[in-house]
Every structure is written in structure tokens, then in C-alpha cells.
Amino acid sequence: YIGAKQVREVLARQQPEVRRALELAYFGGLPVSEISELLGMPAPPLRAAMRAALLELGALGRKGQEEDA
């Protein structure tokens, strides 16, 4: 389980464009190709930055599960 505070902390460490991209992807349902056009960023580095943020969140979730076990 990842708490809202932990999610906010991970997002706060990201560049503003990456935070916005994650919002557009997960709350707006937009694909990376559209997000990259909206933000004026090339898709490959944007996709990589989004993936890194998601991996960080996933690591927090796994850490939380290990602590609960």
C-alpha cells in the first residue's frame, strides 16, 4: 500500500513536466504521443521519465508490503 503522502512526495521530486505528464496519462487517459505534443517534449525521454517515476512508486509499494509482512 502506498499512501497519498508518499505519492505526493515522489511526485514533488519530479520535474513539473513529468508531473503534468503523469496527470494527463492517468487522469486524462492520454497516450504519451499526445502528451509529448501538448508539452512540447520528445516522446522517448518523456516516456523514460514517466517510467522512472512509476518505478519509484512501485518500489515504495514493494517496500511497504515487505514491512507489513
Side-chain angles (χ1 to χ4, degrees), residues 9-39:
E9 288 172 356
V10 169
L11 292 176
R13 288 192 289 270
Q14 308 305 313
Q15 294 178 350
E17 298 84 9
V18 176
R19 281 196 304 271
R20 183 69 179 131
L22 290 169
E23 291 171 357
L24 290 168
Y26 288 92
F27 300 116
L30 298 178
V32 174
S33 59
E34 286 185 40
I35 295 168
S36 69
E37 287 181 28
L38 285 170
L39 298 179

Side-chain angles (χ1 to χ4, degrees), residues 46-57:
L46 179 61
R47 186 177 290 111
M50 291 171 67
R51 178 169 165 69
L54 293 174
L55 287 173
E56 187 175 349
L57 286 169

Side-chain angles (χ1 to χ4, degrees), residues 2 6 52-66:
I2 301 172
Q6 292 167 309
L54 293 174
L55 287 173
E56 187 175 349
L57 286 169
L60 279 176
R62 286 187 298 279
K63 181 181 175 187
Q65 287 177 345
E66 290 170 2

